[in-house]
């Protein structure tokens, strides 16, 4: 085309006859210059611009990634901070993984593609996948979070229209050990339970949505958990679950000086790396999300209340010679002494009648106020999202106060009961539990004084006495001066008390001369370990607590003291 134009412009001009009769074209050279030349340059520039634009566009497109219309938002692969224990051991971290997608518009034969894919992913749903591949969409997910081997095997299939996108998923090195504390993320790496959910609620989800959750800018979240102690706790309750053929078991270790949860576990649990059964009915964090009547461990609060009210002393005596009758109900002792008991004897012999008399002495309103003061009947304030709200009678009558005195008629969580007991031995300060590292100074700044120092001295004595001569003997550990209290309660099933199954608890503190740590264990519907044994708390929850202290005390930095023969723990009380 350009050649024809040049020929045309070259012959433009006026024609005349020369002297020899030839035809002369005038202005031909002139036509190739001037306006004609400008037109040639302009035309060439236009065509050069068109070809340059096309070439540049092709080069640009060659460096672009495919247009995945309908693909996931950037938040899918947003980073999360590592979660570590108090010593820096990793509890949760991000790892890269490949996810399989398809571009249905490029799929030639959906049946053949699914047939090939099923050789690597046999669990894939044929019908669902077929509808995806025949949808005509620009992008569909087929399988998220593949293993490296699965990715390599699918690539070997060479199926047109299939591709991979690199995502981030959560990996939990400790597995089941701390599953209820650390929690879970969903397929989009968003926290849905435990501390993972708490971290999102503190602003991480907003950072992810804005694209500012960059891995290098996210500092690890340090928990109060000691992974070594956590392993001991989980190991002991898992062994107890099997040994006592229980429905469930759990334990918590509290630092009574700071309110830090050093370890907490509940079984049955789940593997957060493969949480296929995490939603099963029996997989519940019984320590913070389970509501139970605590039984005789509640007598800790009743005796403390009597002492703190000023209406009773260690010398006070309570008539337990006969049952208390209220209407058609009668309150009995399990192994009654059938006589008048001193306050320490009420605690030592775990007398229901004596505890009811203590509550009667203080009064109904003061009884209710004391339990609320210790946070036993309030919803607990802590970082862990899975926290149940305690229950109590709407109107407290005399019979309610009597039964609540020995742990029946109100329901609370084991963790709350543990926190309340900690206040009875740490100097009288209620500290809301925390799963984050907290100093003693910070803890005291937020603590609330709930009982007098004299009450604390009395409770340390009672716990020590019970370990020396009472039901807490199975939890004694030589050298660590352990004190505690058992609780054996009839399990509530469908609103009725069972005569066959118990919910057992045990609270232990050590060393009793100046308690540093508290252990609270539970055994849900345990059975006797051996023929001839009973299923009371001393034989299961108490044993688990003793084993935890025996294995973990040194890790917690508590030095043994063998000056007391046979591990005696009795603390003097004036």
């Amino acid at each position: 085309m350009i050649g024809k134009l040049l020929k045309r412009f070259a012959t433009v001009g006026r024609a005349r006859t020369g002297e020899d009769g030839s035809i002369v074209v005038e202005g031909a050279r002139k036509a190739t210059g001037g306006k004609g030349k400008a037109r040639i340059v302009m035309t060439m520039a236009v065509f050069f611009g068109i070809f340059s634009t096309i070439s540049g566009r092709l080069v640009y497109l060659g460096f672009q990634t495919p247009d995945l219309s309908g693909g996931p938002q950037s938040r899918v692969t947003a980073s999360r901070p590592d979660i570590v224990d108090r010593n820096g051991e990793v509890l949760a971290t991000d790892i890269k993984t490949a996810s399989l997608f398809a571009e249905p518009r490029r799929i030639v034969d959906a049946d053949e593609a699914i047939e090939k894919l099923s050789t690597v992913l046999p669990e894939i749903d044929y019908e669902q996948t077929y509808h995806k591949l025949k949808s005509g969409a620009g992008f569909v997910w087929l399988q998220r979070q593949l293993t490296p081997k699965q990715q390599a095997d699918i690539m070997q299939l060479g199926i047109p229209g299939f591709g991979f996108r690199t995502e981030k998923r959560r990996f939990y090195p400790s597995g089941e050990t701390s599953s209820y504390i650390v929690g879970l993320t969903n397929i989009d790496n968003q926290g849905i339970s435990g501390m993972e959910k708490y971290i999102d609620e503190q602003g991480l989800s907003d950072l992810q949505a804005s694209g500012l959750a960059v891995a290098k800018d996210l500092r690890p979240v340090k928990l109060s958990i000691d992974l070594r102690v956590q392993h001991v706790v989980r190991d002991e309750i898992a062994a107890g679950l099997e040994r006592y053929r229980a429905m469930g078991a759990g334990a918590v270790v509290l630092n009574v000086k700071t309110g830090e949860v050093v370890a907490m576990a509940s079984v049955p649990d789940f593997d957060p790396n493969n949480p296929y059964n995490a939603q099963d009915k029996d997989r519940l964090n019984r320590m913070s999300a389970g509501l139970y009547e605590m039984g005789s461990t509640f007598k800790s609060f009743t005796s403390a209340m009597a002492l703190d009210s000023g209406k009773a002393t260690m010398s006070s005596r309570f008539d337990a010679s006969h049952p208390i009758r209220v209407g058609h109900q009668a309150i009995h002792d399990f192994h009654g002494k059938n006589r008048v008991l001193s306050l320490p004897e009420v605690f030592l012999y775990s007398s229901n009648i004596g505890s009811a008399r203590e509550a009667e002495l203080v009064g109904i309103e003061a009884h209710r106020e004391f339990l609320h003061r210790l946070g036993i009947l309030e919803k607990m304030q802590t970082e862990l999202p899975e926290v149940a709200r305690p229950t109590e009678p709407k109107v407290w009558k005399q019979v309610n106060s009597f039964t609540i005195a020995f742990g029946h008629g109100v329901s609370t969580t084991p963790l709350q009961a543990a926190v309340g007991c900690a206040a009875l031995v740490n100097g009288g300060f209620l500290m809301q539990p925390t799963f984050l590292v907290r100093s003693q100074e910070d803890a005291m700044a937020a603590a609330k004084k709930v009982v007098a120092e004299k009450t604390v001295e009395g409770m340390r004595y009672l716990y020590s006495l019970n370990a020396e001569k009472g039901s807490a003997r199975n939890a004694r550990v030589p050298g660590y001066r352990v004190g505690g209290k058992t609780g054996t309660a009839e399990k509530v099933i469908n609103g009725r008390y069972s005569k066959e199954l118990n919910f057992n608890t045990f609270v232990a503190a050590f060393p009793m001369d100046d308690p540093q740590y508290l252990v609270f264990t539970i055994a849900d519907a345990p059975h006797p370990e051996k023929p001839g044994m009973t299923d009371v708390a001393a034989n299961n929850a108490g044993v688990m607590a003793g084993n935890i202290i025996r294995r973990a005390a040194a890790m917690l930095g508590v030095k043994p003291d063998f000056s007391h023969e046979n591990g005696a723990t009795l603390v003097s009380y004036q």
Side-chain angles (χ1 to χ4, degrees):
M1 180 184 294
I2 295 176
K4 291 181 179 179
L5 287 170
L6 289 174
K7 184 176 181 181
R8 177 184 174 189
F9 288 131
T11 57
V12 174
R14 297 194 307 272
R16 67 179 179 81
T17 303
E19 294 180 356
D20 56 358
S22 62
I23 299 175
V24 178
V25 180
E26 294 181 346
R29 293 180 61 87
K30 185 177 181 181
T32 60
K35 292 183 179 180
K37 186 175 181 180
R39 290 173 182 169
I40 295 172
V41 172
M42 185 181 300
T43 303
M44 293 178 66
V46 170
F47 279 93
F48 181 78
I50 292 172
F51 286 123
S52 297
T53 301
I54 294 173
S55 300
R57 183 62 176 171
L58 290 173
V59 171
Y60 170 78
L61 293 175
F63 285 97
Q64 302 306 302
T65 55
D67 178 19
L68 303 178
S69 58
Q73 299 296 319
S74 59
R75 64 177 175 81
V76 171
T77 56
S79 297
R80 300 183 64 83
D82 286 353
I83 299 177
V84 300
D85 83 334
R86 64 186 308 114
N87 300 312
E89 295 292 330
V90 177
L91 302 175
T93 189
D94 280 346
I95 60 172
K96 290 183 179 180
T97 184
S99 291
L100 176 66
F101 68 85
E103 298 173 90
R105 296 169 187 169
R106 295 180 55 202
I107 300 297
V108 178
D109 189 331
D111 290 299
E112 181 183 6
I114 298 172
E115 184 177 347
K116 288 183 177 181
L117 185 60
S118 63
T119 63
V120 179
L121 304 175
E123 73 280 6
I124 198 164
D125 186 293
Y126 185 96
E127 184 176 353
Q128 184 183 67
T129 306
Y130 180 83
H131 286 306
K132 285 183 178 181
L133 297 183
K134 298 294 288 184
S135 65
F139 178 101
V140 292
W141 283 121
L142 294 182
Q143 187 82 351
R144 307 283 288 276
Q145 300 181 353
L146 301 171
T147 66
K149 185 179 185 306
Q150 288 174 325
Q151 181 187 14
D153 290 345
I154 294 172
M155 290 178 68
Q156 290 294 324
L157 297 176
I159 305 174
F162 279 15
F164 299 93
R165 167 161 286 191
T166 299
E167 295 189 286
K168 291 176 183 175
R169 65 165 291 184
R170 217 55 169 157
F171 175 63
Y172 303 93
S174 60
E176 299 96 333
T177 303
S178 55
S179 56
Y180 283 120
I181 295 176
V182 177
L184 278 175
T185 57
N186 61 15
I187 196 71
D188 292 330
N189 217 20
Q190 297 170 316
I192 56 174
S193 69
M195 294 303 289
E196 293 278 32
K197 183 176 181 181
Y198 168 77
I199 292 169
D200 277 23
E201 292 173 345
Q202 298 308 299
L204 178 64
S205 57
D206 294 334
L207 284 177
Q208 290 177 333
S210 62
L212 299 177
V214 182
K216 64 182 180 65
D217 297 330
L218 298 175
R219 297 178 60 186
V221 176
K222 180 178 286 190
L223 303 188
S224 59
I225 303 304
D226 186 321
L227 186 57
R228 302 168 303 169
V229 181
Q230 180 72 22
H231 171 75
V232 168
V233 168
R234 200 268 176 185
D235 186 57
E236 286 297 334
I237 64 172
L241 183 75
E242 183 177 353
R243 184 185 308 125
Y244 308 120
R245 291 166 288 132
M247 184 181 300
V252 61
V253 178
L254 275 176
N255 183 327
V256 302
K257 302 290 188 180
T258 64
E260 293 171 298
V261 178
V262 181
M264 188 179 77
S266 174
V267 289
D269 50 20
F270 61 93
D271 182 358
N273 295 307
N274 185 26
Y276 68 95
N277 58 354
Q279 299 299 319
D280 288 358
K281 182 175 63 174
D282 63 333
R283 279 167 169 76
L284 165 74
N285 182 2
R286 287 170 165 80
M287 299 307 293
S288 66
L291 288 176
Y292 307 98
E293 294 188 353
M294 293 293 157
S296 293
T297 48
F298 239 61
K299 292 170 183 173
S300 299
F301 307 124
T302 307
S303 292
M305 173 185 66
L307 292 171
D308 202 63
S309 70
K311 296 181 178 181
T313 67
M314 287 294 178
S315 302
S316 297
R317 303 175 70 79
F318 301 90
D319 185 4
S321 59
H322 56 274
I324 298 177
R325 297 192 177 276
V326 182
H328 298 291
Q329 296 178 295
I331 296 172
H332 300 268
D333 281 342
F334 186 60
H335 291 298
K337 299 298 179 181
N338 301 314
R339 61 178 176 83
V340 174
L341 302 174
S342 67
L343 189 147
E345 286 178 323
V346 169
F347 194 83
L348 182 64
Y349 301 136
S350 199
S351 170
N352 293 340
I353 299 172
S355 296
R357 295 295 187 195
E358 290 176 335
E360 184 178 34
L361 176 67
V362 173
I364 297 173
E365 289 303 317
H367 189 183
R368 183 174 184 272
E369 184 276 331
F370 185 81
L371 293 182
H372 277 277
R373 190 197 315 167
L374 264 67
I376 307 301
L377 301 180
E378 303 285 349
K379 185 174 181 181
M380 186 168 52
Q381 301 301 312
T382 188
E383 299 86 10
L384 205 66
E386 294 78 25
V387 173
R389 181 181 292 277
T391 62
E392 62 174 309
K394 290 184 178 180
V395 178
W396 282 44
K397 299 180 180 179
Q398 187 67 71
V399 67
N400 300 122
S401 182
F402 283 165
T403 59
I404 291 169
F406 54 85
H408 286 269
V410 295
S411 296
T412 191
T413 70
L415 180 56
Q416 283 179 272
V419 170
C421 289
L424 301 181
V425 299
N426 71 358
F429 295 96
L430 178 64
M431 300 175 182
Q432 293 296 340
T434 180
F435 291 84
L436 300 174
V437 174
R438 180 166 66 189
S439 68
Q440 187 170 347
E441 292 73 20
D442 289 340
M444 289 301 296
K448 177 183 177 183
K449 184 75 170 178
V450 289
V451 295
E453 186 63 36
K454 193 70 173 177
T455 304
V456 173
E457 293 175 6
M459 291 310 300
R460 290 180 181 179
Y461 171 78
L462 292 177
Y463 278 152
S464 300
L465 178 67
N466 197 43
E468 192 70 23
K469 300 180 179 181
S471 61
R473 284 173 291 185
N474 284 350
R476 290 191 305 178
V477 180
Y480 288 105
R481 311 181 300 287
V482 179
K485 181 74 181 78
T486 54
T488 303
E490 293 177 346
K491 185 175 174 64
V492 179
I493 301 177
N494 297 324
R496 294 179 177 273
Y497 289 107
S498 171
K499 298 300 181 182
E500 290 79 31
L501 298 176
N502 294 331
F503 182 82
N504 294 347
T505 57
F506 190 92
V507 57
F510 67 100
M512 281 313 305
D513 49 343
D514 182 19
Q516 304 294 313
Y517 294 96
L518 182 141
V519 178
F520 197 100
T521 56
I522 66 170
D524 190 355
H527 293 80
E529 181 180 4
K530 298 176 182 179
M533 295 183 68
T534 62
D535 59 355
V536 296
N539 292 334
N540 38 70
V543 174
M544 289 190 294
N547 290 342
I548 289 170
I549 295 170
R550 185 176 295 105
R551 295 176 60 185
M555 299 176 187
L556 294 169
V558 180
K559 296 181 180 180
D561 179 2
F562 296 99
S563 61
H564 299 282
E565 187 178 357
N566 297 323
T569 59
L570 193 59
V571 176
S572 62
Y573 180 81
Q574 300 297 327

